[in-house]
Amino acid sequence: MSKILRPAPLSRRLFLQRSALLAAGAALPSSLLAACGDSSSSSSAPLIVDPNIPFWLQGNFGPVHDEVTAFDLPVRGRIPSELNGLYVRNGSNPQNTDSPHWFFGDGMIHGVKLESGKAAWYRNRYVQTPLYEKGIGFSDGPGLPIGGNHQSNVSCVYHGGRLLLSGEVGAPYEIDPSDLSTIGVQQFDGKLNTSFTAHPKIDPVTGNLHFFGYWFLEPYLTYHVADPQGNIIHSTQIPVAASTMIHSFAITERDVIFWELPVLFDLAAAAGGADNPFAWKPEYGARIGVLPLGGDGSQIRWVEIEPCYVYHEVNAYRAGAEIVLDVCRHDFMFAGERFGEAPLAVHRWHIDTSGEQLSLRDEVVSERELELPTHDRRISGRPHRYGWFVDSQEHPLTLNFVGTGMIDFQTGDVRVWNPGPTRHAAEAFFVPGGPGEGEGWLFTYVYDHAKDSSDLVILDALDVEAGPVAEIRMPRRVPYGFHAVWVPA
């Protein structure tokens, strides 16, 4: 494998069980960034973790249980006046203290409404699922998450005039953007009879929503397309041999790309009450599949790859007969490893579709610990230059989110904003602010472990090292979560 980009490497370790499925403070060198003014904590207090408590139940991973509403939030800096809309982020927030894993808490959304340069309000609300309403935790054995029988704790998408929240499996929940109240399960007029992926894709040209669902029983994998109004117009089963955890996928203007990797669901283990029913089974093999956009499942073509695991991709696009796909690649997952034992790197997969058989060329883009990527979604499925990530550092007992990283895939530059020695930036989301790729803003929650407080930070996406253009003080700590979306006004 050749390396095409060569930023200064950091030590490599497990970022996910450091990432979201579905979908965290030592400072970086000062040359990478100076923190933003006096909004950073001046303390160098160490990040303290109790080894006797699971990391997802303490610190800023720990849940909050009250639902807060606050208006006219204090702002340091200037919120760009064109940012009128709602930033909303989903995440795992268990109401029970026996939650067996970060992935398995109740869904809670945190939203901030921006209007005319002001932070009009903040709300956080539990997703009103049957599991939440009945006080049922994952370990209480709720059964297979059919329909809305799941936590709905992973992701968000805004499509067809609806704000939808998704879990790893199960149907999505519709949320009212005006107050974050739960409207109910959305099953697309009864046409959705499979799961709804944590990472649906909107084609920016057609407006169609592409999504899939994997399941624990046959059919294991189903692909769907909804039109711009949110009506399902196409569904097809994709033949696979087992239930594998497929967290995300990618599209180009012509293709749908799946990666079926050897993390398998064990139905017997789940029935027996296992904390985590997924297991690393490299003997199953690993492969990438390419299907025509909107095509039939029987048309899929596969290429075998070295066993690995990928939760998240940056983006994919066509370059003639080649598909270019940038991913955050873990060497393995759920193999009994402790945090810090599984290598992670950003890879570029080149998939040649010209022959009767697909072929793959794999390049390492960066060995820096970058995960939870985002890109400018106006060019989803089209050539991209930029990607933004969470940067992290070693900690023996927890996931130590640090800063916001950016890769320029054209030049190979890797740049990072580090908010300070006690502050931790979570996943960023890109919001457009100009016509060109990357002309816009990054939103990310930043937690200060010395002050036990959170800010919503807005960065210039093309100048992350300059630090925040605005920091909005949250009325309460916002726990680390998974994925977000912007709902324009």
Side-chain angles (χ1 to χ4, degrees):
M1 251 188 306
S2 61
K3 293 185 180 180
I4 56 174
L5 306 179
R6 301 178 183 274
L10 292 181
S11 59
R12 302 164 71 191
R13 72 173 172 95
L14 178 67
F15 184 82
L16 210 90
Q17 303 160 335
R18 284 195 323 175
S19 131
L21 285 178
L22 358 142
L28 293 173
S30 58
S31 60
L32 294 178
L33 172 90
C36 176
D38 60 10
S39 61
S40 297
S41 171
S42 61
S43 169
S44 59
L47 178 61
I48 297 174
V49 181
D50 186 339
N52 300 309
I53 301 174
F55 79 84
W56 58 90
L57 295 176
Q58 62 176 307
N60 201 44
F61 287 95
V64 295
H65 299 294
D66 53 336
E67 296 181 333
V68 172
T69 301
F71 298 96
D72 195 17
L73 308 177
V75 178
R76 174 180 170 81
R78 185 186 68 84
I79 298 174
S81 59
E82 68 268 27
L83 288 173
N84 291 289
L86 172 69
Y87 172 73
V88 59
R89 198 218 64 201
N90 202 352
S92 174
N93 195 90
Q95 58 181 317
N96 298 326
T97 58
D98 61 349
S99 178
H101 197 284
W102 186 29
F103 297 160
F104 301 143
D106 299 285
M108 177 177 278
I109 46 177
H110 299 260
V112 177
K113 182 66 176 292
L114 302 185
E115 294 177 340
S116 303
K118 296 183 178 181
W121 56 255
Y122 162 86
R123 287 176 168 90
N124 69 298
R125 297 292 185 268
Y126 274 107
V127 187
Q128 299 296 308
T129 69
L131 299 185
Y132 169 73
E133 291 175 342
K134 296 176 183 178
I136 298 174
F138 181 87
S139 60
D140 294 311
L144 292 180
I146 298 169
N149 189 34
H150 64 98
Q151 287 100 346
S152 193
N153 64 4
V154 178
S155 197
C156 318
V157 63
Y158 184 70
H159 181 260
R162 293 188 177 100
L163 173 58
L164 301 178
L165 308 183
S166 63
E168 180 67 9
V169 291
Y173 277 79
E174 184 177 356
I175 299 297
D176 185 341
S178 70
D179 61 4
L180 304 189
S181 61
T182 302
I183 296 173
V185 176
Q186 168 58 253
Q187 291 194 282
F188 297 85
D189 294 325
K191 293 183 179 180
L192 179 66
N193 54 12
T194 72
S195 285
F196 182 93
T197 178
H199 289 282
K201 303 292 186 287
I202 298 174
D203 187 310
V205 175
T206 67
N208 286 342
L209 179 74
H210 298 263
F211 61 100
F212 71 93
Y214 73 83
W215 195 238
F216 310 129
L217 304 170
E218 295 188 78
Y220 295 125
L221 182 60
T222 309
Y223 161 57
H224 305 275
V225 183
D227 67 17
Q229 291 71 46
N231 306 301
I232 292 181
I233 58 175
H234 177 68
S235 296
T236 185
Q237 296 179 17
I238 297 175
V240 294
S243 176
T244 56
M245 179 190 283
I246 305 175
H247 184 64
S248 188
F249 74 131
I251 64 170
T252 75
E253 60 185 4
R254 294 169 46 189
D255 314 280
V256 183
I257 307 104
F258 292 96
W259 38 95
E260 194 197 19
L261 307 174
V263 170
L264 274 65
F265 177 81
D266 187 331
L267 186 59
D275 283 350
N276 186 353
F278 293 99
W280 176 251
K281 301 288 185 181
E283 63 274 14
Y284 180 78
R287 58 185 183 162
I288 300 170
V290 177
L291 174 74
L293 196 71
D296 186 83
S298 63
Q299 298 174 276
I300 196 165
R301 295 195 293 162
W302 298 96
V303 57
E304 299 294 320
I305 64 173
E306 180 182 352
C308 63
Y309 195 74
V310 171
Y311 285 103
H312 304 113
E313 82 296 335
V314 180
N315 188 37
Y317 61 88
R318 272 274 178 176
E322 182 179 83
I323 296 171
V324 178
L325 173 59
D326 292 320
V327 300
C328 299
R329 181 191 182 279
H330 303 262
D331 279 7
F332 48 84
M333 191 58 54
F334 300 126
E337 72 274 8
R338 292 178 59 85
F339 301 114
E341 294 179 349
L344 162 69
V346 179
H347 282 231
R348 171 162 284 188
W349 286 341
H350 300 262
I351 307 165
D352 187 348
T353 66
S354 61
E356 183 176 342
Q357 301 293 326
L358 301 179
S359 62
L360 177 74
R361 181 166 56 92
D362 188 343
E363 293 180 313
V364 178
V365 174
S366 174
E367 292 184 341
R368 196 179 189 109
E369 295 186 352
L370 302 173
E371 243 284 10
L372 297 167
T374 192
H375 70 286
D376 185 336
R377 298 188 185 194
R378 295 173 296 180
I379 57 168
S380 290
R382 279 71 181 172
H384 62 273
R385 176 173 177 176
Y386 306 110
W388 297 271
F389 307 78
V390 173
D391 187 44
S392 63
Q393 288 188 352
E394 295 279 0
H395 193 287
L397 297 174
T398 191
L399 314 183
N400 187 19
F401 298 157
V402 179
T404 299
M406 172 184 176
I407 292 180
D408 183 332
F409 289 94
Q410 179 174 301
T411 66
D413 290 342
V414 178
R415 290 175 279 167
V416 175
W417 171 63
N418 172 7
T422 65
R423 303 179 82 209
H424 310 264
E427 182 189 68
F429 187 83
F430 176 85
V431 178
E437 181 195 354
E439 293 182 5
W441 315 102
L442 296 180
F443 283 63
T444 180
Y445 284 114
V446 173
Y447 172 69
D448 189 328
H449 72 247
K451 297 179 179 178
D452 195 34
S453 64
S454 296
D455 299 312
L456 178 58
V457 168
I458 303 174
L459 302 165
D460 182 334
L462 293 180
D463 193 12
V464 294
E465 292 173 290
V469 299
E471 296 181 273
I472 304 168
R473 176 53 51 90
M474 293 296 98
R476 56 99 42 69
R477 175 177 68 85
V478 178
Y480 298 127
F482 300 136
H483 307 305
V485 75
W486 174 253
V487 180

